[in-house]
Amino acid sequence: MQIGMSLTSSYSIERDPKAVMDGLTEQVKAMSNLGFASLSLGDHHVTRNNYLQVLPTMSHLSAFTGDMRLIPLFLLPFYNPILLAEQLAMLDVISGGKTAVISGLGHQPEAHDAFETPQRLRVSRFEETFEIMRRLWTDDDVSFSGKHYNFSGVSVNPKPLQQSMPMWIGANADPAVRRAARIADAWVISPGWTPDYIDERLQFYRAALDEFGRGGQVQDLVVRRDLHLAPTRDEALRDAEVLFERGYRGFGDREMQESLIVGDADTCITALSRLQSKGATHILFRCALDETEQAMQTIRILGEQVIPHFSG
């Protein structure tokens, strides 16, 4: 099982964005030295806070990632598929052929309004963009005729170094999970889902894989998890009291207790072992407390005590 980090991209407007970027760079350097498998970043638009946009941020951080895989997330309905295919192909070249892409549908009405991409059309835009990118990365003189995009004889160069760049889909609702089973190389599971709920949804997903004749083809299962680690469990719980008091990213009480990993290295190893038993092949952690000092503490404990446990 591979262990990576999805670093926080959203920060208060009062925070100096250059200082934030410097903090992320410090975290990535530590991750590279500690044997993390991957770096991921999320996607959001027209925000009132400071949101570090995924492609330029990932490109900057790639100078410090070493052997780590780059896993940017894109909300596909907002992007022109030809331009995004070109940019991601170049990122794969920069990474030495170590890029995978998480595609999301997203739900952000103000961004749809600003970008003039009607929300009611987001599913069809997603599917066309997904198909177009995949074809442009492997073929020349591509032609496409769809609801949103029509073109002929288009090639993208350079192409990705990988013959087939992995395309993962983050999905929650039934239709989206079925879409992941039908076309994606992996399903990315939400960080807020409890272990029991993951069991339930995995049955649905694996039945869909079988329905589409892909049960033996799709091997990867990606799970996102938020966490805070400290040298002792009591210390971690004290640090995280503020999260339990004010709430955390829309998690309910049960999700806070069962999905958010708060504790020491052994707490984390136990939680990961349970996910591994469900078939998880790649874990993407996100620091629940993302101030640089707290994030670095979590990263160090993961790298020094948790990753070695699973590296054998």
Side-chain angles (χ1 to χ4, degrees):
M1 184 170 64
Q2 296 186 318
I3 297 174
M5 292 292 295
S6 179
L7 297 185
T8 300
S9 301
S10 179
Y11 294 87
S12 166
I13 196 69
E14 285 78 25
R15 296 278 297 274
D16 176 8
K18 178 61 166 60
V20 168
M21 182 64 78
D22 290 345
L24 292 183
T25 302
E26 181 183 353
Q27 292 172 41
V28 169
K29 288 178 179 178
M31 289 162 55
S32 178
N33 290 333
L34 289 167
F36 281 75
S38 63
L39 164 67
S40 185
L41 295 172
D43 193 26
H44 211 58
H45 300 278
V46 294
T47 63
R48 295 189 180 277
N49 54 357
N50 284 324
Y51 198 94
L52 306 182
Q53 288 300 310
V54 54
L55 194 62
T57 304
M58 184 70 82
S59 298
H60 164 75
L61 294 175
S62 69
F64 311 102
T65 51
D67 293 331
M68 283 192 291
R69 196 179 205 178
L70 307 185
I71 310 177
L73 183 152
F74 291 90
L75 303 177
L76 293 193
F78 297 128
Y79 292 90
N80 177 284
I82 299 173
L83 178 59
L84 187 57
E86 290 178 329
Q87 293 174 332
L88 285 172
M90 194 63 229
L91 186 65
D92 194 56
V93 172
I94 291 171
S95 72
K98 296 191 294 290
T99 298
V101 183
I102 301 176
S103 299
L105 192 58
H107 175 72
Q108 194 187 355
E110 65 276 15
H112 283 287
D113 290 343
F115 291 169
E116 297 183 316
T117 56
Q119 194 165 358
R120 70 181 186 278
L121 301 176
R122 61 185 182 143
V123 172
S124 56
R125 290 180 66 92
F126 177 100
E127 292 214 8
E128 288 191 13
T129 300
F130 193 97
E131 179 183 349
I132 289 167
M133 291 199 302
R134 180 167 269 170
R135 289 180 58 188
L136 287 172
W137 288 333
T138 57
D139 301 333
D140 287 320
D141 299 319
V142 172
S143 297
F144 186 88
S145 179
K147 185 175 182 178
H148 306 286
Y149 302 102
N150 290 274
F151 55 83
S152 60
V154 172
S155 300
V156 164
N157 290 296
K159 288 184 169 48
L161 297 186
Q162 300 173 86
Q163 190 170 21
S164 178
M165 193 189 309
M167 296 183 74
W168 303 345
I169 289 181
N172 295 338
D174 284 2
V177 175
R178 283 178 57 81
R179 187 179 306 117
R182 177 167 55 88
I183 63 176
D185 298 308
W187 176 33
V188 182
I189 295 176
S190 170
W193 285 8
T194 66
D196 286 345
Y197 190 59
I198 289 176
D199 284 337
E200 176 185 327
R201 303 312 293 152
L202 277 174
Q203 293 181 39
F204 179 86
Y205 172 65
R206 287 170 175 152
L209 284 174
D210 290 339
E211 177 186 343
F212 295 120
R214 307 186 72 222
Q217 300 175 21
V218 179
Q219 304 299 322
D220 285 324
L221 180 68
V222 185
V223 180
R224 297 174 60 205
R225 273 293 181 262
D226 293 2
L227 84 168
H228 173 69
L229 301 182
T232 68
R233 185 173 183 273
D234 287 344
E235 184 178 347
L237 289 170
R238 285 196 299 271
D239 293 342
E241 280 181 2
V242 63
L243 301 179
F244 292 96
E245 290 171 357
R246 73 186 183 198
Y248 179 73
R249 292 183 180 269
F251 284 28
D253 290 342
R254 185 178 177 190
E255 287 81 6
M256 290 281 286
Q257 294 296 329
E258 297 185 29
S259 302
L260 184 65
I261 300 172
V262 176
D264 58 9
D266 287 340
T267 305
C268 187
I269 288 170
T270 299
L272 285 187
S273 297
R274 187 174 182 184
L275 293 172
Q276 188 176 40
S277 72
K278 300 177 189 301
T281 61
H282 201 121
I283 304 296
L284 287 176
F285 281 124
R286 177 173 58 188
C287 292
L289 296 172
D290 52 26
E291 294 291 339
T292 298
E293 183 176 344
Q294 294 170 317
M296 286 293 292
Q297 174 179 274
T298 292
I299 288 169
R300 282 194 294 268
I301 293 172
L302 281 171
E304 293 170 358
Q305 300 180 53
V306 177
I307 289 176
H309 182 86
F310 293 93
S311 62

